[in-house]
Amino acid sequence: MRRTQIIGGALVGAAVLGAFPAGTAAWADGPDTRRQACWTEAKIDGKQWVRTFDKAFANPNYLKCGSPVGYLYQGENYVYCKKWGQEYDGEHGTNHWWLYTDLDQGAKRGWVSAYFLTGPGNGDDKAVDVNGKTIRTCSKVY
């Protein structure tokens, strides 16, 4: 009887603490408390159009906290602003800028690394729109 209580208590504790199996998507069935603790939004000050060279995952904030919350598809997209954050490193370079935008799949909004931008003026730690203008920095993040 004692052994059953200990195992049952451990299972309840894991559920309360939000333990999820590895690879569980943030928009899967049920709330993800890790996502809620990491969620960051930004004031929307207008849109700037960008091009992405690949399907880009989105995080709940610019510090890569929590699981991905959705995707921005490859092609022409708009972003609201950028915020300096956690470095994203890939085969095409690195970038610290994260772009706040509406997503194509998953959550309504999220942060996508500027690493996925293509076009003249983009590259390591740069973030420019389709017209070559620097993407504006977010005026307020909360």
Side-chain angles (χ1 to χ4, degrees):
M1 183 71 168
R2 176 86 173 123
R3 183 174 172 197
T4 303
Q5 289 174 333
I6 292 170
I7 293 170
L11 292 173
V12 169
V16 170
L17 293 175
F20 295 92
T24 300
W27 61 86
D29 294 336
D32 185 340
T33 55
R34 292 173 300 169
R35 186 191 92 165
Q36 293 169 358
C38 295
W39 202 266
T40 305
E41 296 187 38
K43 180 179 176 189
I44 296 173
D45 297 322
K47 296 177 184 176
Q48 287 181 270
W49 290 90
V50 298
R51 283 190 191 91
T52 53
F53 66 82
D54 201 357
K55 180 179 177 181
F57 69 90
N59 281 328
N61 69 33
Y62 49 90
L63 299 173
K64 293 195 328 187
C65 175
S67 301
V69 296
Y71 293 94
L72 187 66
Y73 295 150
Q74 175 183 353
E76 195 160 288
N77 297 284
Y78 60 85
V79 297
Y80 295 117
C81 58
K82 68 180 181 179
K83 178 79 175 156
W84 188 262
Q86 183 78 26
E87 178 182 84
Y88 182 88
D89 186 24
E91 67 180 83
H92 302 292
T94 61
N95 206 306
H96 285 88
W97 290 111
W98 288 81
L99 312 170
Y100 189 62
T101 189
D102 291 333
L103 303 177
D104 296 316
Q105 178 184 350
K108 179 176 176 158
R109 293 195 177 116
W111 296 87
V112 174
S113 175
Y115 168 87
F116 292 97
L117 296 182
T118 187
N122 282 307
D124 289 338
D125 283 335
K126 293 183 178 72
V128 299
D129 67 14
V130 294
N131 297 315
K133 290 180 62 179
T134 300
I135 295 169
R136 70 178 126 312
T137 302
C138 300
S139 62
K140 183 176 180 183
V141 176
Y142 48 94

